[in-house]
């Protein structure tokens, strides 16, 4: 197991001008991370090869790996031209992933407003989603890159939908980025979902949430799940996910790849990340 941090976790520090992406790489290395996952929020690498090269050089100089490159995408469009344009845009990001030297890349696949995330719409969209994932995986294969989708965005977020898609795509280099926390966004138990999904994971995200039922609105700072329960990001190990059991399940599965910490709490991000890294290491050793 190689424990590291998603650059997304440091977005508040970057927006506060405490660091840029190169400083984030330095910070992760200084605080015990073995790898960093690059998520290009508030910066672009498609049109900035110099920054891409600087990221690669910085990671090498501080002795950590770049584990994964993660981007958004949505192949649910209202025309074939828009679908094709989105395919070409994601292919450009695959080229960036190759320039970063990574062998894993997550792209999102579909988003709909919660009222439209029905089984009927999923069945309607399914052939297009399969086609998109096949095209991107086949393009990435030339670089030896495994692409993946994350249980992300309320629509393709339930473990059964994700696994169905992975199996239908049928490519050896297409799997799932397994986010243990995101299942709660569609009201699925994290332990149960991780047990189902870990065998198809090319990457694992550790994240924690506080959870309150729909009839107990806690107020500002919370968002609602698909069925109306309230969620708020937490420091890993301090939220309501049964984190010791999740860690035990992941370890017992034999998964020995990259684990990225994702922090979405209200606490100061750097402190929240360090606290979470310590927790994961301790509980992993005890599991």
């Amino acid at each position: 197991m190689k424990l590291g941090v998603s650059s997304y976790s440091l977005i508040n520090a970057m927006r506060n001008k405490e660091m840029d992406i190169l400083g984030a790489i330095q910070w992760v290395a200084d605080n015990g991370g073995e790898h960093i996952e690059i998520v290009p929020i508030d910066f672009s690498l498609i049109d900035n090869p110099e920054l891409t090269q600087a990221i690669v050089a910085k990671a090498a100089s501080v002795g950590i790996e770049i584990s994964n490159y993660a981007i958004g995408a949505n192949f649910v469009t209202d025309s074939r031209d828009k679908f094709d344009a989105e395919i070409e845009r994601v292919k450009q990001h695959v080229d960036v992933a190759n320039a970063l030297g990574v062998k894993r890349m997550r792209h999102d696949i579909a988003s709909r407003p919660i009222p439209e995330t029905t089984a009927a719409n999923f069945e309607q969209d399914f052939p297009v989603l399969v086609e998109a994932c096949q095209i991107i995986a086949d393009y990435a294969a030339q670089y030896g890159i495994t692409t993946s989708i994350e249980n992300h965005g309320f629509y393709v977020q339930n473990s059964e939908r994700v696994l169905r898609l992975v199996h239908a795509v049928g490519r050896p280099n297409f799997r799932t980025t397994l986010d243990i926390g995101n299942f709660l966004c569609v009201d699925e138990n994290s332990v149960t979902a991780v047990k189902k999904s870990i065998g198809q994971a090319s990457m694992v995200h550790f994240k924690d949430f506080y959870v309150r039922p729909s009839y107990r609105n806690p107020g500002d700072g919370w968002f609602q799940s698909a069925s109306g329960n309230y969620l708020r990001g937490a420091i890993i190990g301090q939220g309501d996910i049964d984190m010791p059991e999740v860690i035990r399940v992941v370890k017992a599965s034999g998964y020995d790849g990259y684990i990225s910490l994702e922090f979405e709490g209200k606490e100061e991000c750097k402190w929240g990340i360090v606290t979470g890294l310590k927790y994961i290491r301790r509980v992993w050793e005890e599991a």
Side-chain angles (χ1 to χ4, degrees):
M1 186 269 286
K2 293 181 179 179
L3 182 59
V5 178
S6 168
S7 67
Y8 163 71
S9 303
L10 288 161
I11 189 65
N12 286 339
M14 288 190 276
R15 285 176 174 169
N16 291 336
K17 308 301 182 184
E18 297 175 49
M19 61 181 73
D20 57 11
I21 186 60
L22 301 181
I25 295 169
Q26 182 72 59
W27 186 90
V28 170
D30 290 345
N31 286 276
E34 298 173 84
H35 67 89
I36 186 166
E37 182 177 12
I38 301 297
V39 185
I41 298 176
D42 294 345
F43 64 92
S44 173
L45 298 181
I46 283 183
D47 51 3
N48 197 342
E50 294 81 10
L51 180 57
T52 301
Q53 294 167 8
I55 288 171
V56 172
K58 184 65 175 180
S61 71
V62 299
I64 65 172
E65 300 177 48
I66 304 172
S67 54
N68 191 42
Y69 180 58
I71 66 159
N74 187 4
F75 295 104
V76 177
T77 65
D78 58 11
S79 73
R80 186 68 192 192
D81 286 347
K82 290 180 181 178
F83 173 87
D84 290 341
E86 186 72 337
I87 289 287
E88 292 308 310
R89 186 186 70 85
V90 175
K91 283 182 177 180
Q92 287 183 293
H93 280 289
V94 174
D95 295 337
V96 171
N98 181 57
L100 287 169
V102 301
K103 295 302 178 184
R104 291 166 180 79
M105 176 182 160
R106 183 218 81 189
H107 62 82
D108 288 332
I109 183 157
S111 177
R112 283 185 177 273
I114 287 177
E116 297 179 13
T117 60
T118 61
N121 278 337
F122 183 68
E123 290 302 318
Q124 175 183 299
D125 293 336
F126 191 72
V128 169
L129 303 184
V130 171
E131 180 186 2
C133 292
Q134 288 174 333
I135 292 170
I136 299 304
D138 289 346
Y139 184 79
Q142 66 181 310
Y143 300 128
I145 292 173
T146 294
T147 56
S148 65
I149 60 161
E150 186 173 343
N151 49 307
H152 204 207
F154 294 104
Y155 191 29
V156 191
Q157 196 157 14
N158 172 280
S159 62
E160 292 296 331
R161 289 188 182 184
V162 172
L163 291 172
R164 183 180 169 202
L165 186 61
V166 170
H167 290 304
V169 170
R171 298 295 193 268
N173 68 320
F174 180 73
R175 304 183 74 186
T176 177
T177 288
L178 172 57
D179 187 304
I180 69 165
N182 282 346
F183 294 113
L184 289 173
C185 299
V186 286
D187 307 285
E188 187 174 13
N189 178 271
S190 289
V191 173
T192 302
V194 170
K195 286 180 179 178
K196 291 180 183 178
S197 307
I198 188 62
Q200 293 294 331
S202 60
M203 186 86 189
V204 175
H205 288 171
F206 274 24
K207 176 190 296 176
D208 208 347
F209 284 119
Y210 299 110
V211 184
R212 298 294 181 268
S214 60
Y215 56 85
R216 288 176 53 193
N217 183 350
D220 292 343
W222 297 68
F223 69 96
Q224 288 184 278
S225 71
S227 68
N229 292 317
Y230 289 93
L231 304 173
R232 199 187 90 185
I235 294 170
I236 289 177
Q238 298 185 13
D240 293 318
I241 294 175
D242 187 352
M243 199 64 64
E245 180 63 3
V246 168
I247 291 173
R248 188 199 67 77
V249 168
V250 173
K251 186 175 180 179
S253 75
Y255 179 83
D256 196 32
Y258 297 110
I259 291 175
S260 272
L261 180 150
E262 281 198 343
F263 176 70
E264 295 181 348
K266 298 299 181 182
E267 298 86 353
E268 195 280 324
C269 64
K270 300 189 298 300
W271 181 78
I273 293 167
V274 170
T275 303
L277 289 173
K278 290 178 180 176
Y279 177 89
I280 295 170
R281 285 200 178 93
R282 174 174 62 80
V283 178
W284 185 275
E285 291 173 359
E286 295 171 352

